[in-house]
Amino acid sequence: MRRGWKVPALYLATTCTSSHFALGFVSHQLSTAAKASAWKPASSLIYGSPSSGSTFTRRNMSSEVVPAKDYGPTDQSWRSLLEVSMARSRKIRGSNYVQISTATKDGEPRCRTVVFRGFLNNKNLPEDHPMSASGNVDGKPCVMKMCTDLRSNKVAEVAHQPISEMVWWFPKTSEQYRVRGSLLLVGDDSGDRDLQIARKELWGNLSDPARESFLDDKLPVPVGGRDDEGKVVPVPENFLLMLLDPIHVDFLRLTGAQYRQIDERQSGPDGSTWSAKSVKP
């Protein structure tokens, strides 16, 4: 190993251990000051001002410093917590990417990244609609929208076992949401008029490249999924609206004092209600 390369290599190893990230190598040498700071253990990344009594935590995955005092126990529901997490990460590219799990007929797990595309507006649904039973939390809808392709393996997996769990990680605030519930796929064969409207709306809101990916390769693919007049083409058979109807949410915050909360949905004759409790660990 060439002189001057040992320090950055050891520094990266320490960083990987504390944040569980696999980082690549660096192609430059550290300055004398950087070498000195690189030998500090991960615990020294917590610092503060003794005079003010405030403590801050620097996260290895982000250069931003977040006041630890801003993150403590809460009496908010998972839906309100998620609203804040989304708002704080709105400007981060990929902050709406989530991981969704399914299982094969043999019970083998499958997991992939999909794009979260908002919540289903159940105010437009009839009162007797199955999705209306999901109810609201703090006046906010709960059913989560995504989309998938009819040609995807997950279609058969969802038909076999609709129970799924979504994982949503917010690196800016070091928060994780694990959302468990039933998946529902809405395609051409669905006779639910209200969900077909939601499907058509989502199709129109996709980016042009995303729409192209759902079109049949055997036919001439309209550029951007638009016709000669620039209008969005009708919803193709391959495009499915994918809905996650949550029943259990596990929230974990690692910033500041670690905090974990479990929210569960109970169904009754008067509809659904949610309850929350803090748990350890």
Side-chain angles (χ1 to χ4, degrees), residues 121-138:
N121 186 2
N122 57 7
K123 293 182 180 179
N124 297 332
L125 301 177
E127 292 184 2
D128 58 348
H129 194 280
M131 286 296 176
S132 295
S134 303
N136 294 341
V137 180
D138 299 340

Side-chain angles (χ1 to χ4, degrees), residues 84-97:
V84 175
S85 300
M86 291 190 298
R88 284 176 167 165
S89 300
R90 196 174 303 278
K91 295 182 179 181
I92 299 178
R93 181 177 177 83
S95 62
N96 60 336
Y97 293 172

Side-chain angles (χ1 to χ4, degrees), residues 1-162:
M1 182 177 293
R2 297 167 60 184
R3 175 182 290 273
W5 283 73
K6 292 184 179 180
V7 171
L10 289 173
Y11 173 67
L12 287 175
T14 302
T15 304
C16 290
T17 301
S18 61
S19 65
H20 305 289
F21 274 83
L23 302 178
F25 62 86
V26 293
S27 58
H28 61 278
Q29 298 182 8
L30 296 178
S31 65
T32 303
K35 290 180 180 179
S37 62
W39 287 97
K40 294 182 180 179
S43 59
S44 68
L45 295 177
I46 300 177
Y47 64 95
S49 172
S51 59
S52 62
S54 61
T55 303
F56 300 85
T57 305
R58 181 184 297 277
R59 300 181 307 281
N60 291 331
M61 63 191 71
S62 172
S63 61
E64 182 180 350
V65 177
V66 178
K69 62 182 179 60
D70 290 348
Y71 297 92
T74 177
D75 58 357
Q76 298 183 71
S77 70
W78 73 271
R79 187 61 179 82
S80 293
L81 290 168
L82 182 59
E83 196 80 11
V84 175
S85 300
M86 291 190 298
R88 284 176 167 165
S89 300
R90 196 174 303 278
K91 295 182 179 181
I92 299 178
R93 181 177 177 83
S95 62
N96 60 336
Y97 293 172
V98 300
Q99 284 67 52
I100 196 89
S101 66
T102 55
T104 66
K105 292 183 179 180
D106 298 328
E108 294 183 352
R110 295 290 185 269
C111 190
R112 77 284 293 162
T113 300
V114 298
V115 180
F116 169 72
R117 299 189 181 275
F119 291 91
L120 180 68
N121 186 2
N122 57 7
K123 293 182 180 179
N124 297 332
L125 301 177
E127 292 184 2
D128 58 348
H129 194 280
M131 286 296 176
S132 295
S134 303
N136 294 341
V137 180
D138 299 340
K140 303 177 181 66
C142 297
V143 179
M144 311 176 85
K145 295 190 301 183
M146 294 153 284
C147 62
T148 190
D149 197 304
L150 179 63
R151 299 163 291 187
S152 169
N153 290 334
K154 74 170 73 68
V155 175
E157 294 162 3
V158 171
H160 172 70
Q161 173 55 273

